Amino acid sequence: MLDMILSQAVNGLVLGFLYVLIAVGLSIIFGMLGIVNFAHGAFFAIGAYLALVLTQQFGWGAALLAPLLTGLIGMVVEMVLIRRLYDKEPLISLILTFALALLVEAVLRLVFGGAPQPFSPPKPLAGFVEWGAILITTYRVAVLCVTIAALVAFWAFLAYTPFGRIIRAGSRDPEMVGLLGINLPIVLSGVFGIGCLLAGLAGMLAGPLWTVSPAIGAAAIMPAFVIVTIGGLGSYRGAIVAGLMVGLVTALTVQFYPDWSGVAMYVLMAVVLIARPRGLFGEKWERFE
């Protein structure tokens, strides 16, 4: 029993860190742009399909371009569609991004069909790793290492680069950033692109673990919203802690109480919000209050 719990806990960490990548991108878009991006899961799906196509055509090395291409697509979407919503009612952004998510899923079905697409991990990462009582696939270990490295790199980017400091300041008061002479439209496009890049990276990594299908985005977006809610709006630390909590709870529930696996993370969210309505590390954000 202990061996099973340890193995499931490690699998839950892998799942949790994938959720964190998606949730962090969703959080910075909401914090900086004030847009609740229901299409964020669609960019996760785009990243998975781009990685699949690039791998089939050029090998796994080319799949590394998938997150970058997803980020570029996100920037184009921001400039063409999202930018028109900043001075509109929040409900309009909800409707438009939801419609965009449906459009992307329909296009993916048209291009690739509705059937799941096989996506194998790189051959060097085939097999299993056994460490004491823990048995896990080599690819899951690689995903865990890549996601941790990506999150550390993104934290360093926010903390130590000029653009990262602009993002942190603008997430609280974007108007002040504009008054300081910074080109706010370019910053907003960059933030949306970075958020989509993180979603695309998660999609690329999750492709060999999940079934790559047009509906794969729907499996990612709701956990991302739950994690942002549990961790607290705009909290990088909160997103990481909440993502790991959701991953562990989901993995253990699937193993021991499979009938509850679909609602476990929502129960966790309800318990946290009863105790802390702003989330675990939520702060008071002047622009939303």
Side-chain angles (χ1 to χ4, degrees), residues 32-33 75 78-79 82-83 86 163 166 174 177-179 181-193:
M32 185 76 180
L33 280 65
M75 293 180 69
E78 191 278 338
M79 290 185 285
I82 306 298
R83 187 170 294 180
Y86 297 146
F163 193 79
I166 291 172
V177 171
L179 292 174
I182 296 171
N183 191 326
L184 192 58
I186 292 179
V187 172
L188 296 179
S189 296
V191 169
F192 197 86

Side-chain angles (χ1 to χ4, degrees), residues 222-223 225-231 242 245-246 249 260 262-280:
M222 290 312 298
F225 276 112
V226 169
I227 289 167
V228 170
T229 303
I230 293 175
M245 290 172 63
V246 169
V249 167
W260 284 81
V263 298
M265 64 179 176
Y266 301 107
V267 173
L268 174 64
M269 179 179 67
V271 171
V272 170
L273 291 182
I274 290 173
R276 293 185 61 86
R278 293 185 185 274
L280 295 175

